[in-house]
Amino acid sequence: MTDNIRSLNYAKTHFVTSAPDISHLPSDTGVEVAFAGRSNAGKSSALNALTQQKSLARTSKTPGRTQLINLFEVEENCRLVDLPGYGYAEVPEAVKRKWQKSLGEYLQKRESLKGLIVLMDIRHPLKDLDQQMIDWAVAVGLPILLLLTKSDKLASGAQKQQLNMVKEAILPFQGDITVANFSSLKKQGLEQLKQKLNEWFSQTES
C-alpha cells in the first residue's frame, strides 16, 4: 500500500456542506478523515494551517459553536470532516448528549471514514471525552493520529515529556495510534499530518 501513496494539494480544499447528523451527510463513498477534539483544542486552527486558508474552518472565540458535522472536499472522493467540538462546559446537558450521540454514530457507522485525528491541548491531554473518542475509534478498527496542539506554549523539553507521557498512556488502548506534537502557529507537525492524511487518502480503492 505504501508504494502508491498520493500527495494531495490541501490548499485546494473547499467547504461542501454542514449536517446535524449522519443521516444528512452526502453519500457514504470515497475516503473521509475526521478531525475531533475538545472545543478549545485548536481544531479550526489546525484545519486552516493544513489548507493554508485563513477561514476555511471558522475559529470562534466562543468554543462549542460548531455544533454541526462540517464536510470539506480536498479533491474528488477525498474529504476532511470537522466534527463538533466536545466537552464545552457551558453547553446544556441535552445538547451535549445529542452531540455525543451523533459523534458516536458517525464514528461507528460511516463506511468511508478511514482515519481519525484527535486534537488535544498538549497541556491537558487525554481528558475523559478524548479517551472515549479513542475507545470508539479503536473499537471499529480505525487508525488514529493524536495531535498535541499548542505545543509552542511549552519549551522543547516539556514538549518531549508530554509526548512521551501520552505515548505511554495510550498503550492500553491497543489501537493503531500515532502521536505527534503540533503547533498551527509554528507549523510544527504539519508535515506529519499531511503524510498521515496522504496515507489514508491513498486507500480509495480499498
Side-chain angles (χ1 to χ4, degrees), residues 104-175:
E105 235 176 17
Y106 173 79
L107 289 178
Q108 289 157 334
K109 295 181 180 166
R110 190 76 172 161
E111 294 289 325
S112 49
L113 182 62
K114 298 296 182 208
L116 177 69
I117 291 161
V118 179
L119 298 97
M120 308 183 292
D121 187 322
I122 192 166
R123 298 160 299 175
H124 321 285
L126 295 172
K127 299 269 193 194
D128 287 353
L129 287 168
D130 298 323
Q131 297 195 39
Q132 191 177 330
M133 290 299 279
I134 296 168
D135 259 340
W136 277 339
V138 169
V140 292
L142 207 56
I144 305 164
L145 172 61
L146 291 183
L147 290 183
L148 304 181
T149 61
K150 309 184 188 184
S151 59
D152 51 277
K153 306 263 188 206
L154 296 181
S156 60
Q159 285 186 31
K160 206 166 284 180
Q161 217 174 343
Q162 285 295 81
L163 183 69
N164 291 334
M165 183 275 286
V166 171
K167 282 181 173 172
E168 194 72 25
I170 59 170
L171 289 174
F173 286 102
Q174 297 183 327

Side-chain angles (χ1 to χ4, degrees), residues 16-76:
V16 181
T17 188
S18 291
D21 54 49
I22 189 169
S23 62
H24 292 79
L25 289 173
S27 69
D28 197 356
T29 55
V31 176
E32 284 177 2
V33 175
F35 283 67
R38 295 173 66 80
S39 298
N40 53 358
K43 199 155 44 79
S44 301
S45 305
L47 277 162
N48 291 341
L50 168 70
T51 57
Q52 298 165 39
Q53 297 179 42
K54 282 197 172 66
S55 55
L56 180 81
R58 285 189 293 279
T59 48
S60 168
K61 292 288 175 231
T62 321
R65 198 184 61 170
T66 320
Q67 299 176 25
L68 298 166
I69 298 173
N70 293 309
L71 255 73
F72 303 94
E73 191 172 72
V74 185
E75 57 178 57
E76 202 181 355

